[in-house]
Structure formats: C-alpha cells, structure tokens
C-alpha cells in the first residue's frame, strides 16, 4: 500500500489497539506501527478503519468518602484505594459503557456489603479482613468485563467526632489493661518460679537430712552389732577379755600423765592367812 493511499498509526507500549472496520471489531493490535487506508477510490468500496487505544497498565482508583452503616448501626466514612489493569481490552470497551465508572460502583457496593456485615469492633481489630472481603467480592465481577482488580485496600476509616473520642478512650483503656495483664502474668510466673525453686530446695535439703540420719543410724546399728559380737566373744572366751585389759594397760602406760589404780584388796585376805 503506497504512502499516498495510506497513513500510519502507532500503538505504544503499555497500550493495545482495538481495530474496527466499518464499526465492527476486527482485531486487537499489539504495540507497533500499522498502516491504514487513507482514502476511498472511485467506484471501489473501502472499509472505514479506526483504531481505539486502550491503556493496559496498572492504574489506581481512589474511592473517597463513602459513608456506610456497620452491622451495629454505626456510621463510618471509608476511603478505598483500588489497583486494577485491563486484561481483555475488547471486553472492557464493549461489555460496559465505561469500565472506570463500573469499577468505582462495584468496589463501592462491595464495601457497603462487607461493612454492613461487620461490627465496629470487628472493623477496628481486623481492617485487613475488610480489604480482603471487598477484593474477593469484586474480582469475579470485574473479570466479566475484562478488568483484573489487583488490590482494594481500605485506606482510611473516619468516625463521628464523639465516637472517635470514645474509641480513643476505649483503645487507651485496652492498652492499659493489656499492660497490667502482662505485668500481672509476669509477676505470677516469677512468684511461681520462686516458689517452685524454694520447694525444690526444701525437698533436696529434707532428702539430704534424711540420708544423713539414715547413715548415722546405720553406723550406730553397726557399732552396736560389733559391740554385741565382742561381748559375746568375751563371754565365751574370758582370756580374750584379759588380753584386752592388758592391751589397754599397755596403751595407758605409754602416757606419762595417766594414773593407774590397781585394787590389791582382793589379795589382802590371802596374805593375812599365810
């Protein structure tokens, strides 16, 4: 096709071109340069060709100031940041009049449904769950008109002034209560540990004392057993007792400070008689 009878169209990176011939969809053009017929020839019918560029890059849509009632009838104002991209350019153009407006309304309705099913406490304690509910609700719907919802994050939650003050007080009280609970739990654990340690020390001391008493008792029993055995031996063999006496006298005789008293009275009658 000569340049006089055609003109060039460029589809840039990050875009797709929807080619229409006489108003009917023809094909999706990838990024690149394309030649289109420039004019009609006399007596020859040429289709009228048009290229509609579609942005397929990831984009952001802010949904601000949505005032919604929670399950416990508290009015909150929510701001939602939505990230999306067009994945089917033909569906995005032909199935809905304006896919940007449709995304806005779908996310708005999903947020209303999700918030209406949650209490204020649940929203405050689990905001991520709210974002996940909105995304799960809207991603299937948006896929029907060629758009992928990547994220739908709840950016801000705004409450009425008096409620905001009350919630701040509640949150402060909760933080104080949690701190006190942690302190009490720590103190109880420390006291339990100290009591356990003391009880263990007492038990070990009692066991050691009982063992010492048992050893002393065993030693005394053994000593008595030995004395009884010695007494029995001396009774059966008096000479052993006499030998023991001599050994004792000999041991005492080595001590200069020792005094020995020997009873001669038993021999006095014998000397007188003689």
């Amino acid at each position: 096709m000569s340049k006089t009878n055609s003109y060039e169209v460029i589809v840039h990176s990050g875009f797709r071109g929807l080619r229409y011939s006489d108003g009917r969809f023809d094909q999706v053009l990838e990024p690149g340069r394309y030649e289109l017929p420039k004019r009609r020839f006399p007596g020859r019918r040429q289709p009228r060709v048009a290229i509609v560029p579609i942005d397929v890059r990831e984009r952001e849509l802010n949904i601000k100031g949505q005032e919604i009632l929670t399950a416990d009838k508290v009015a909150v104002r929510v701001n939602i940041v939505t990230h999306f991209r067009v994945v089917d350019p033909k569906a995005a153009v032909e199935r809905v009049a304006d896919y940007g407006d449709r995304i806005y309304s779908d996310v708005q309705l999903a947020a209303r449904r999700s918030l209406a099913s949650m209490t204020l406490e649940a929203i405050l304690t689990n905001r991520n769950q709210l974002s996940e509910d909105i995304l799960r609700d809207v991603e299937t719907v948006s896929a029907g008109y060629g758009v992928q919802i990547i994220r739908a994050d709840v950016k801000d939650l705004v409450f009425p002034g008096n409620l905001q003050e009350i919630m701040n007080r509640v949150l402060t009280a909760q933080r104080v209560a949690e701190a006190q609970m942690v302190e009490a739990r720590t103190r109880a654990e420390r006291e339990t540990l100290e009591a356990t340690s003391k009880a263990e020390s007492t038990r070990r001391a009692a066991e050691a004392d009982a063992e010492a008493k048992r050893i002393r008792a065993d030693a005394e029993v053994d000593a008595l057993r030995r004395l009884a055995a010695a007494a029995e031996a001396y009774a059966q063999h008096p000479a052993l007792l006499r030998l023991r006496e001599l050994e004792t006298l000999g041991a005492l005789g080595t001590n200069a400070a020792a005094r020995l008293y020997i009873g001669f009275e038993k021999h006095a009658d014998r000397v007188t008689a003689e």
Side-chain angles (χ1 to χ4, degrees):
M1 187 178 295
S2 64
K3 290 187 176 296
T4 58
N5 297 325
S6 65
Y7 67 97
E8 293 183 344
V9 172
I10 296 176
V11 179
H12 295 277
S13 295
F15 290 78
R16 299 293 183 270
L18 297 182
R19 188 180 190 275
Y20 288 87
S21 179
D22 288 341
R24 294 187 177 185
F25 173 75
D26 188 4
Q27 68 182 68
V28 177
L29 302 179
E30 297 293 324
R33 177 180 296 178
Y34 300 90
E35 288 187 353
L36 301 180
K38 185 177 181 180
R39 64 182 179 181
R40 296 172 180 266
F41 291 97
R44 183 188 305 176
R45 182 180 181 281
Q46 277 186 300
R48 186 180 298 274
V49 178
I51 304 298
V52 178
I54 301 297
D55 192 340
V56 295
R57 296 171 296 179
E58 181 178 328
R59 286 183 281 171
E60 180 179 289
L61 178 65
N62 289 319
I63 302 174
K64 299 181 179 180
Q66 300 301 307
E67 189 166 313
I68 305 171
L69 286 178
T70 64
D72 45 359
K73 307 305 179 184
V74 178
V76 297
R77 185 170 297 172
V78 60
N79 297 329
I80 305 170
V81 179
T82 304
H83 292 259
F84 70 95
R85 71 162 65 93
V86 175
V87 294
D88 186 345
K90 179 177 180 293
V93 170
E94 296 190 355
R95 294 182 184 176
V96 292
D98 187 320
Y99 62 83
D101 290 344
R102 181 61 182 273
I103 293 169
Y104 190 100
S105 62
D106 284 343
V107 173
Q108 182 186 53
L109 291 174
R112 289 184 180 278
R113 285 190 293 269
S114 183
L115 279 168
S117 66
M118 299 175 69
T119 63
L120 180 60
E121 182 180 0
I123 294 170
L124 290 174
T125 56
N126 198 357
R127 185 182 297 187
N128 290 337
Q129 182 63 45
L130 177 58
S131 299
E132 292 171 2
D133 288 347
I134 295 172
L135 177 60
R136 184 168 53 252
D137 193 356
V138 77
E139 61 183 355
T140 302
V141 177
S142 66
Y145 50 87
V147 174
Q148 177 190 9
I149 305 298
I150 301 169
R151 294 167 55 191
D153 294 333
V154 175
K155 183 179 179 182
D156 298 307
L157 286 171
V158 182
F159 308 99
N162 59 339
L163 180 61
Q164 184 72 44
E165 183 179 354
I166 293 172
M167 291 306 301
N168 288 337
R169 292 178 181 176
V170 170
L171 291 175
T172 300
Q174 288 178 344
R175 285 193 291 268
V176 172
E178 289 173 358
Q180 291 176 344
M181 186 180 300
V182 171
E183 182 181 357
R185 186 183 300 115
T186 303
R187 183 169 61 251
E189 290 176 353
R190 184 175 63 250
E191 291 176 353
T192 300
L193 184 61
E194 291 176 353
T196 302
S197 178
K198 184 177 181 180
E200 181 66 16
S201 299
T202 303
R203 184 185 64 81
R204 292 184 179 180
E207 290 179 352
D209 186 58
E211 181 65 15
K213 290 181 178 179
R214 186 188 64 79
I215 293 173
R216 287 197 298 270
D218 290 346
E220 291 175 357
V221 170
D222 186 64
L224 291 173
R225 187 181 298 114
R226 293 176 181 274
L227 288 175
E232 184 178 356
Y234 292 149
Q236 295 178 359
H237 305 281
L240 292 176
L241 179 60
R242 182 58 178 165
L243 179 60
R244 182 61 176 166
E245 290 177 354
L246 293 175
E247 289 176 353
T248 303
L249 290 174
L252 292 174
T254 60
N255 188 354
R259 294 184 179 183
L260 299 178
Y261 297 93
I262 301 174
F264 294 100
E265 291 80 1
K266 64 181 179 179
H267 304 289
D269 294 338
R270 184 181 300 175
V271 173
T272 304
E274 292 178 353

